[in-house]
Amino acid sequence: LEQMSGRVGSTDKEPLLDVVHGFPGTGKSRLIAWLRELMEDGLGWQHGVQFVCVAFQNAMAAHIGGETIHHWSGIPCRPEQGNTTGDSHQQSMKFQALRVLIIDELGMNSAELFGQLEYVVRRAVRSRGTYKKRRDSTTRAFGGVNVLMRVDWWQLQPVAGTWFCSNPLDVTAGRARDAMEMLWLDGPDTVRRTWNPHRAHAVQGCL
């Protein structure tokens, strides 16, 4: 409705920046399946265009019918000539219609990778016709894209990089610190809600 009336970005309502937390078998994967059904069958959206499901490892991505973070975002697994975030032009072209980003098994990601992903999406999303900017001209995290993160904090920490449950006082300033602050601090660009699987169906945002 906001798109048809030309009022996209005029609301004070914040997009999703939410976490769904639960042990294995509590329905987190089923939630992703429901969301995909809503977006694909209900809204006619296409995976990889208006929404995308990503995970750190190939097996996790395949389980949800998604892509790995590196493959989808274009973030290189290793710095390429000092470039740690990928081709900004290609990312900008690819992300223009993106409305929803679902990140599976967040705990397997390092804070560095999550920080890079946020930066890449925020940089690539255009300002006009999106929720990137608030009325006060500040820029939303992830460029105003709805973000839903599925996590089980009891799983093993990532094999490399900064674990989200590390002492933030030991993390130097940079994208890893930015990522940890987004999860653990309080502010306009930090996690807005944490859901338990038994009530995750109530998630609402600027879809």
Side-chain angles (χ1 to χ4, degrees):
L1 292 176
E2 290 181 352
Q3 284 183 326
M4 290 187 291
S5 62
R7 294 185 292 107
V8 172
S10 63
T11 179
D12 288 326
K13 187 177 182 182
E14 293 290 335
L16 292 177
L17 188 55
D18 293 10
V19 167
V20 177
H21 177 269
F23 297 114
T26 53
K28 301 190 298 299
S29 295
R30 185 56 184 162
L31 172 62
I32 292 178
W34 284 335
L35 290 172
R36 289 196 62 151
E37 184 178 353
L38 167 65
M39 291 184 285
E40 292 176 322
D41 298 338
L43 299 175
W45 288 0
Q46 181 179 345
H47 184 266
V49 181
Q50 292 90 353
F51 80 97
V52 68
C53 302
V54 297
F56 177 66
Q57 294 180 333
N58 279 312
M60 298 173 186
H63 181 65
I64 58 172
E67 300 184 47
T68 65
I69 291 175
H70 289 289
H71 181 266
W72 173 76
S73 68
I75 297 172
C77 295
R78 296 179 178 84
E80 298 176 354
Q81 297 180 345
N83 183 354
T84 61
T85 56
D87 188 320
S88 60
H89 176 70
Q90 290 184 3
Q91 292 160 343
S92 180
M93 296 295 293
K94 187 175 184 178
F95 301 167
Q96 287 314 302
L98 185 65
R99 298 295 301 278
V100 177
L101 171 62
I102 298 174
I103 305 172
D104 194 26
E105 300 293 359
L106 179 67
M108 296 292 292
N109 293 274
S110 67
E112 286 85 357
L113 178 58
F114 183 74
Q116 288 174 323
L117 179 63
E118 190 282 325
Y119 171 77
V120 162
V121 176
R122 172 166 44 86
R123 179 182 64 181
V125 172
R126 67 181 188 273
S127 296
R128 175 174 289 186
T130 69
Y131 294 89
K132 184 172 185 174
K133 297 287 187 179
R134 299 185 178 91
R135 289 187 182 183
D136 62 4
S137 297
T138 57
T139 301
R140 291 183 168 99
F142 286 96
V145 171
N146 290 282
V147 179
L148 186 66
M149 298 163 276
R150 198 187 82 142
V151 63
D152 175 5
W153 292 123
W154 295 99
Q155 288 186 329
L156 295 175
Q157 64 191 68
V159 296
T162 303
W163 186 31
F164 280 115
C165 296
S166 303
N167 185 343
L169 298 178
D170 296 334
V171 181
T172 58
R175 294 201 178 108
R177 171 74 72 84
D178 293 342
M180 294 186 71
E181 290 179 350
M182 188 182 304
L183 287 180
W184 304 122
L185 295 187
D186 185 22
D189 290 307
T190 59
V191 168
R192 299 185 178 111
R193 288 168 294 254
T194 299
W195 301 87
N196 295 318
H198 70 275
R199 58 188 179 95
H201 65 278
V203 172
Q204 297 179 354
C206 301
L207 297 180

